[in-house]
Amino acid sequence: ASGAQGPALVEGVGLGMAGADSDDSLYPIAVLIDELRNEDVQLRLNSIKKLSTIALALGVERTRTELLPFLTDTIYDEDEVLLALAEQLGNFTMLVGGPEYVHCLLPPLESLATVEETVVRDKAVESLRKISHEHSPVDLEVHFEPLVKRLASGDWFTSRTSACGLFSVCYPRVSSTVKAEIRQHFRTLCSDDTPMVRRAAASKLGEFAKVLELEYVKSDIISLFTALASDEQDSVRLLAVEAGVSIATLLPQEDLETLVMPTLRQAAEDKSWRVRYMVADKFSDLQKAVGPEITKNDLVPAFQNLLKDCEAEVRAAAANKVKEFCENLPEDSRETIIMTHILPCVKELVSDTNQHVKSALASVIMGLSTILGKDNTVEHLLPLFLAQLKDECPEVRLNIISNLDCVNEVIGIRQLSQSLLPAIVELAEDAKWRVRLAIIEYMPLLAGQLGVEFFDEKLNSLCMAWLVDHVYAIREAATCNLMKLVEKFGAEWAQNTIVPKVLGMANDPNYLHRMTTLFCINALSEVCGQEITTKHMLPVVFKMSNDQVANVRFNVAKSLQKIGPVLDSNCLQTEVKPVLEKLASDQDMDVKYFAQEAISVLSLA
């Protein structure tokens, strides 16, 4: 049954209410209440979303005695409506009369915490956690804790999974007798017959451990952790890994080796790749939790194995952590460990068969240069960067180029240019136009990292060469690239370095190159501003209006339309208008059309 069939609110609330009291201000509320019972799901949803308005109108007492029982009895609705209700109730404390009455919200939320739809249960648990803090310690024991117990021993697994998320919020504020009961309930749920319940318990194990006294962490939690980490379901085992990291942060150093590490070592070699993936993903957190000694003895070999894992997903997750792992190694032995144990694995990953692995590595490998210093970078890392710069996967190349600045800091621009720039130039002139296109897209990034002098010396000529590439997509991207470079280096740089070269192309015998001049002027006028556009670029556009090729002439009309907004009104009237009028009487239909369009768009008629 849906909410439409739920019992009516007490007499006097509902559509009759407004008539009975002859109070027009209550009429909209009566409509909302009526909509709570409407056949139409959307209407019920709208009404639930305005629940606080209804509660305010009814007042705290009627909200407690009429609205909440009504809502509790009608929890057989569409999931959307229930989700909205579960969310609303978490903010209802003041609407029922404040913290002393907050327990009135428990019955509807308890019902919502047992429904079949996971998102509704999760939202109900979230609201219960929220209002648990508003209970006094007495109310927590009298009202909240019994609810947790009922959920924990419910017949349906849905209620038992919900209970798992509530233990940690009430444990710190109850008496020691009740604490013992809560620990017992949690133990029971960790060995529940239903995998979904064990999964929920495993996902909350770390959080629960954090509120327990240390003696119980050792006596209770460790055994639960060990059991969940060897559960038959890999979905439970992988959640136990996360809990293990949290537990490790709570224990004194001397207990870690005996209580937690055997289980985590076993997880790093689990038969399920999903569990190993989780270990790789949480590796940096684990490293911080266990400290330098255990890292050296236990985690270095484990990390090596994860970098060599047979599953690409695991290798990618581990590759992602290479820089963080190396940064967090103890300083006295950092370089030795990296050079002896980690770098050989990294070298293998550079030529991995999976592009996600190579891409993950490329996004962090440059960071190793700051850890290993200049000599090691030049000798060991630069060859790897070069190999990745030539990788067929564009993402790998992008990740290397986007992180060049940290290598630049370590080895300096000269060394970098001698080693890596030839590779970049090679790619910029690659026979495959898509490779050239990829490098153009990285150029502004590269320019920003290498600085203007270096750029002018080494890369400027490349950027100009792309403007006359035989592939249109390259010429177009090169034009856009110029605009981004001017944004980086400023209009003055453009005036001295770029604009003269672009304008020189206006005399090129190839009409396609002459058209590229116009495209560049369109793009550059935006970033160079009025003065440079009027003084240097506009005369060239005017001159090109007499070009022999109609395609060039109609692009002059389009250019004037594009750069018109940059120019002042006097220039538009006295210089641009006559040129457009001349083009508007051209013999070529297209030239005429674009000239007339420019005249009308710029309001020059």
Side-chain angles (χ1 to χ4, degrees):
S2 79
Q5 280 80 47
L9 278 170
V10 172
E11 275 313 303
V13 181
L15 271 177
M17 181 171 78
D21 298 345
S22 308
D23 181 350
D24 289 347
S25 67
L26 287 175
Y27 184 76
I29 304 304
V31 173
L32 283 175
I33 289 172
D34 236 44
E35 283 177 357
L36 280 174
R37 298 173 293 189
N38 197 293
E39 294 285 335
D40 184 343
V41 175
Q42 197 52 52
L43 284 176
R44 294 204 300 280
L45 187 59
N46 293 344
S47 197
I48 287 284
K49 286 184 174 167
K50 292 174 184 156
L51 210 50
S52 54
T53 315
I54 299 177
L56 276 169
L58 289 173
V60 294
E61 197 170 323
R62 293 186 77 184
T63 296
R64 292 198 300 269
T65 56
E66 297 171 23
L67 183 60
L68 288 177
F70 169 72
L71 292 170
T72 308
D73 291 339
T74 54
I75 297 184
Y76 311 102
D77 211 324
E78 305 289 332
D79 294 333
E80 252 181 307
V81 178
L82 296 182
L83 182 63
L85 178 58
E87 186 169 8
Q88 292 286 319
L89 290 173
N91 305 316
F92 243 59
T93 304
M94 297 323 289
L95 298 168
V96 293
E100 64 185 295
Y101 293 105
V102 70
H103 58 83
C104 299
L105 296 171
L106 298 180
L109 282 169
E110 181 174 353
S111 300
L112 288 163
T114 62
V115 299
E116 205 171 320
E117 178 52 54
T118 312
V119 288
V120 176
R121 290 202 309 272
D122 289 350
K123 188 56 79 178
V125 169
E126 193 183 307
S127 288
L128 281 166
R129 287 167 69 101
K130 196 172 177 182
I131 65 170
S132 71
H133 303 300
E134 290 161 348
H135 282 67
S136 67
V138 174
D139 282 348
L140 205 64
E141 286 204 15
V142 174
H143 299 286
F144 197 90
E145 203 268 338
L147 169 146
V148 179
K149 278 196 225 166
R150 285 194 299 277
L151 288 174
S153 47
D155 292 339
W156 290 96
F157 80 87
T158 51
S159 76
R160 301 199 300 277
T161 55
S162 292
C164 295
L166 298 173
F167 291 114
S168 61
V169 289
C170 55
Y171 187 88
R173 297 172 59 215
V174 292
S175 62
S176 50
T177 324
V178 178
K179 281 182 173 179
E181 287 175 19
I182 291 176
R183 291 196 302 276
Q184 183 50 52
H185 277 292
F186 193 84
R187 273 200 297 275
T188 308
L189 292 179
C190 284
S191 54
D192 195 277
D193 291 341
T194 314
M196 280 79 89
V197 178
R198 298 199 302 278
R199 201 176 304 154
S203 73
K204 298 295 179 205
L205 182 66
E207 179 186 283
F208 188 48
K210 283 179 184 166
V211 298
L212 254 61
E213 299 79 357
L214 185 60
E215 58 182 297
Y216 297 119
V217 172
K218 290 185 188 178
S219 62
D220 290 22
I221 296 289
I222 296 297
S223 56
L224 297 177
F225 164 60
T226 312
L228 290 167
S230 51
D231 194 275
E232 62 192 35
Q233 298 275 334
D234 65 352
S235 59
V236 176
R237 298 200 300 277
L238 68 87
L239 289 167
V241 169
E242 207 168 342
V245 176
S246 299
I247 295 164
T249 59
L250 304 171
L251 292 171
Q253 194 66 33
E254 61 273 14
D255 292 328
L256 282 174
E257 189 55 66
T258 50
L259 298 180
V260 177
M261 283 319 294
T263 310
L264 286 172
R265 271 198 295 271
Q266 166 196 321
E269 294 169 6
D270 197 277
K271 61 179 185 292
S272 161
W273 71 266
R274 292 167 63 198
V275 178
R276 301 195 304 276
Y277 174 89
M278 189 57 126
V279 175
D281 192 50
K282 299 286 168 200
F283 217 84
S284 304
D285 300 337
L286 178 59
Q287 189 184 2
K288 285 175 194 154
V290 299
E293 277 314 302
I294 293 180
T295 294
K296 271 195 286 195
N297 303 332
D298 277 326
L299 296 193
V300 171
F303 193 58
Q304 279 178 294
N305 290 337
L306 292 168
L307 289 169
K308 294 175 181 172
D309 198 274
C310 56
E311 283 295 330
E313 279 89 346
V314 180
R315 294 199 301 280
N320 234 326
K321 299 285 177 218
V322 163
K323 176 182 170 231
E324 261 183 274
F325 180 75
C326 294
E327 266 174 347
N328 295 331
L329 286 168
E331 265 184 61
D332 56 349
S333 52
R334 183 184 294 159
E335 193 176 325
T336 317
I337 292 174
I338 297 174
M339 299 307 289
T340 321
H341 301 289
I342 307 300
L343 204 61
C345 303
V346 168
K347 282 179 179 168
E348 281 175 37
L349 292 179
V350 165
S351 50
D352 198 275
T353 49
N354 183 289
Q355 70 179 48
H356 298 297
V357 176
K358 290 188 294 190
S359 182
L361 181 66
S363 65
V364 297
I365 189 171
M366 312 295 269
L368 291 180
S369 55
T370 47
I371 302 168
L372 288 174
K374 185 170 180 175
D375 295 343
N376 283 328
T377 298
V378 173
E379 190 180 339
H380 298 284
L381 293 178
L382 274 179
L384 304 182
F385 302 156
L386 275 171
Q388 288 181 301
L389 256 184
K390 293 178 179 173
D391 197 277
E392 77 279 0
C393 169
E395 205 175 326
V396 174
R397 299 196 300 268
L398 170 62
N399 285 345
I400 288 294
I401 288 178
S402 14
N403 292 293
L404 272 182
D405 50 347
C406 44
V407 183
N408 184 4
E409 281 166 31
V410 178
I411 64 172
I413 199 79
R414 290 289 147 217
Q415 180 86 50
L416 188 63
S417 66
Q418 285 163 19
S419 317
L420 295 184
L421 270 172
I424 291 171
V425 172
E426 200 179 308
L427 290 171
E429 295 167 344
D430 195 278
K432 295 190 193 76
W433 69 269
R434 288 184 192 282
V435 176
R436 300 200 297 281
L437 188 63
I439 283 293
I440 296 178
E441 282 162 9
Y442 308 150
M443 201 46 84
L445 191 67
L446 207 52
Q449 292 180 344
L450 301 176
V452 64
E453 289 161 26
F454 185 83
F455 179 81
D456 283 345
E457 186 189 328
K458 302 283 183 188
L459 299 175
N460 197 333
S461 52
L462 268 184
C463 290
M464 300 313 294
W466 283 323
L467 290 171
V468 294
D469 197 280
H470 63 278
V471 176
Y472 174 73
I474 298 291
R475 298 198 298 276
E476 186 182 37
T479 306
C480 186
N481 170 49
L482 285 189
M483 190 168 106
K484 288 178 185 162
L485 290 171
V486 176
E487 281 170 356
K488 261 198 170 48
F489 294 150
E492 195 182 328
W493 172 80
Q495 188 180 333
N496 300 332
T497 316
I498 294 286
V499 174
K501 290 179 181 169
V502 166
L503 299 181
M505 286 164 55
N507 303 316
D508 196 291
N510 184 333
Y511 85 95
L512 292 171
H513 298 170
R514 298 201 296 280
M515 288 206 326
T516 301
T517 301
L518 290 170
F519 300 149
C520 288
I521 288 172
N522 294 350
L524 291 172
S525 65
E526 279 181 52
V527 285
C528 286
Q530 191 180 79
E531 192 187 337
I532 295 176
T533 304
T534 312
K535 200 167 162 189
H536 299 283
M537 299 198 260
L538 198 57
V540 175
V541 180
F542 290 155
K543 187 178 158 212
M544 292 172 81
S545 67
N546 299 315
D547 200 281
Q548 298 298 303
V549 179
N551 272 20
V552 176
R553 294 199 302 281
F554 82 62
N555 271 296
V556 166
K558 286 166 86 169
S559 282
L560 289 172
Q561 180 182 325
K562 180 92 169 73
I563 64 180
V566 180
L567 308 170
D568 68 28
S569 52
N570 181 39
C571 172
L572 279 172
Q573 287 297 336
T574 57
E575 298 182 53
V576 175
K577 188 178 176 183
V579 175
L580 284 172
E581 282 172 343
K582 189 182 100 192
L583 290 170
S585 56
D586 197 279
Q587 296 150 342
D588 186 275
M589 293 291 293
D590 290 332
V591 178
K592 264 186 190 170
Y593 171 78
F594 286 112
Q596 281 159 352
E597 189 184 64
I599 289 171
S600 99
V601 169
L602 296 171
S603 311
L604 297 175

